[in-house]
Amino acid sequence: MGLNLPNGKLGVWLFLGTEIMFFTAFIGTYIVYRVNHPYDWPTDPEVTHIRIWAGGLNTFVLILSSYFVVVAHEAMHQHDFSKAMKFLQWTFALACLFLGIKAYEYYGKFSHDILPGHIAETNEQAIDKTLGELKDARSAWLTALVPDEGRDDAKMTALRDQGGDEATAFFALDARITNLSDKVKAELVTMEEVTTELEEMQANEQYGTHIASVHAPHPIPKGNLFASNYFIMTGFHAIHVIVGMIAFAFVIMQGSKLNADWSVYVENCGLYWHFVDLVWIFLFPLLYII
Amino acid sequence: MAHEEHSDHVNYFYVFLLLCVFTAASVVADVVHIDSKLVVIVIVLAIATAKAMCVMMFFMHLKFEGNWKYVLLAPTVILAIGLPLALLPDVGVHYYPADPQYPANVMVVEPHESGGDSAEEAHNGH
């Protein structure tokens, strides 16, 4: 005697059982790290670039999409296939909106280099990072000025021969960066002094615009651990959203041919989608509030 | 199927509204200034659990399913809870400060009267 449920549904529930453990591994690890670092975990939104309105809005979007899936499933059960199709399309649209908001949040992290392994955690690391960005900006400008030469020193020789106002401005910036680099090497400069120096350089009319994107030194203790946890949890969740969208796309592509044969499929997709919602329900307070 | 007959009586829109209210309550708990961080944590996690229960019971129809749900979900839930609990003693809780400027999580070893490094002495004592 078997269970009183379709094989497909049993399969989905068994799969969801493994998914619970999959996400709990990440969420559990995050909780353990938070317990381990109760005082110095980065929580300031200005530092982490985590926006509660974005997380709250995404929570609402997923809850609404979950509701639409239930309505679609009910409509399938009542053989109202046009209504089911309409709500499945809305669900798909909301999934797109969720990923759009998520992409906006990721953009904030990428633009401020809040990425695993990229974050300076001490003053020394922060100074080195700013200096590295300055040197990269200098190289980018040099390549724009002398695109055809090979190495930087060959480009600089060519630029010196070439002369002109831009060359003068470039060498003025180069001299300041070299001077700052020497001070950093000799450990003669503090983080505050580097910040002041950078602000002065960025305000310079000759070359300031070329280094406008360089970030002032800003160490974030435990920042890399935070970023790793954030991206692995939200990243895998986003992948699950995309998988759900692909599953819904198969039904939506049926168009007017949607019929009762798809009822179990819609129910199974719905179960998966509710699970995706369920994971976000816990990620929202853990990442955006606590 | 049996669960479909029962689930016909559920007003899913009310469940959706309840989930929205819970979400708004979580945001309010963060925006309103509450002195104790622990209180905020308890409030928002309790709300998240309530939301998860609503989704599982009504949207996923677990309220109307047979007893197989316990057989299927109990092992995964036990393992899911077991993982952080297994990691906690070794990784989550340390007796000696990982960072000297912050106190240890569970036990602060007071400096001995004769002076010296408290953590080192405590370590030697084990």
Side-chain angles (χ1 to χ4, degrees), chain A residues 114-153:
Chain A
I114 308 288
L115 298 169
H118 285 227
I119 300 167
E121 300 203 14
T122 63
N123 290 4
E124 291 76 19
Q125 288 173 358
I127 291 171
D128 284 345
K129 188 172 157 64
T130 298
L131 193 59
E133 285 184 23
L134 270 173
K135 287 176 178 174
D136 287 346
R138 177 184 60 180
S139 290
W141 188 17
L142 182 59
T143 304
L145 289 171
V146 193
D148 298 330
E149 300 293 334
R151 292 163 51 117
D152 274 7
D153 49 358

Side-chain angles (χ1 to χ4, degrees), chain B residues 32-75:
Chain B
V32 174
H33 184 71
I34 299 174
D35 286 337
S36 170
K37 184 80 178 170
L38 186 64
V39 173
V40 177
I41 291 171
V42 169
I43 289 173
V44 295
L45 288 184
I47 290 172
T49 308
K51 283 164 74 178
M53 289 304 286
C54 282
V55 170
M56 287 194 293
M57 299 275 267
F58 301 109
F59 283 0
M60 297 175 96
H61 298 146
L62 276 182
K63 185 176 167 59
F64 314 106
E65 299 289 1
N67 288 335
W68 60 264
K69 62 192 173 196
Y70 301 113
V71 179
L72 199 143
L73 291 176

Side-chain angles (χ1 to χ4, degrees), chain A residues 3-6 9-10 13-14 16-18 20-21 24-26 28-29 31-40 43 52 56 59-60 63-67 70-71 73-74 77-78 221-222 267 270-272 274-275 277-278 281-282 284-286 288-290, chain B residues 1-5 7-8 10 12-13 16 19-20 23 26-27 29-31 37 40-41 44-45 47-49 51-53 55-56 58-62 65 68 72-73 75-77 79-81 83-85 87-88 91-94 98-99 102-105:
Chain A
L3 291 168
N4 185 26
L5 75 165
K9 192 172 164 183
L10 175 64
W13 270 110
L14 285 168
L16 292 183
T18 65
I20 290 170
M21 290 188 285
T24 312
F26 299 135
T29 304
I31 291 170
V32 166
Y33 278 133
R34 285 298 302 268
V35 172
N36 193 23
H37 301 289
Y39 304 102
D40 52 349
T43 53
I52 189 168
T59 308
F60 173 75
I63 288 171
L64 185 61
S65 71
S66 256
Y67 169 62
V70 175
V71 175
H73 176 231
E74 275 221 310
H77 187 52
Q78 292 156 359
K222 307 295 176 289
E267 183 181 8
L271 284 173
Y272 173 83
H274 297 316
F275 174 78
D277 182 20
L278 212 58
I281 281 173
F282 284 104
F284 172 58
L286 286 169
Y288 291 79
I289 298 177
I290 297 173
Chain B
M1 285 182 64
H3 87 265
E4 283 168 348
E5 289 163 20
S7 60
D8 284 346
V10 176
Y12 293 114
F13 186 68
F16 164 68
L19 289 169
C20 291
T23 304
S26 294
V27 176
D30 183 51
V31 174
K37 184 80 178 170
V40 177
I41 291 171
V44 295
L45 288 184
I47 290 172
T49 308
K51 283 164 74 178
M53 289 304 286
V55 170
M56 287 194 293
F58 301 109
F59 283 0
M60 297 175 96
H61 298 146
L62 276 182
E65 299 289 1
W68 60 264
L72 199 143
L73 291 176
T76 60
V77 171
L79 286 169
I81 294 170
L83 176 80
L85 288 180
L87 287 171
L88 208 58
V91 181
V93 180
H94 47 78
D99 193 334
Y102 299 108
N105 289 358

Side-chain angles (χ1 to χ4, degrees), chain A residues 254-275:
Chain A
Q254 297 307 306
S256 58
K257 286 185 276 183
L258 185 65
N259 57 45
D261 293 343
W262 286 86
S263 287
V264 175
Y265 182 88
V266 170
E267 183 181 8
N268 291 342
C269 286
L271 284 173
Y272 173 83
W273 194 251
H274 297 316
F275 174 78

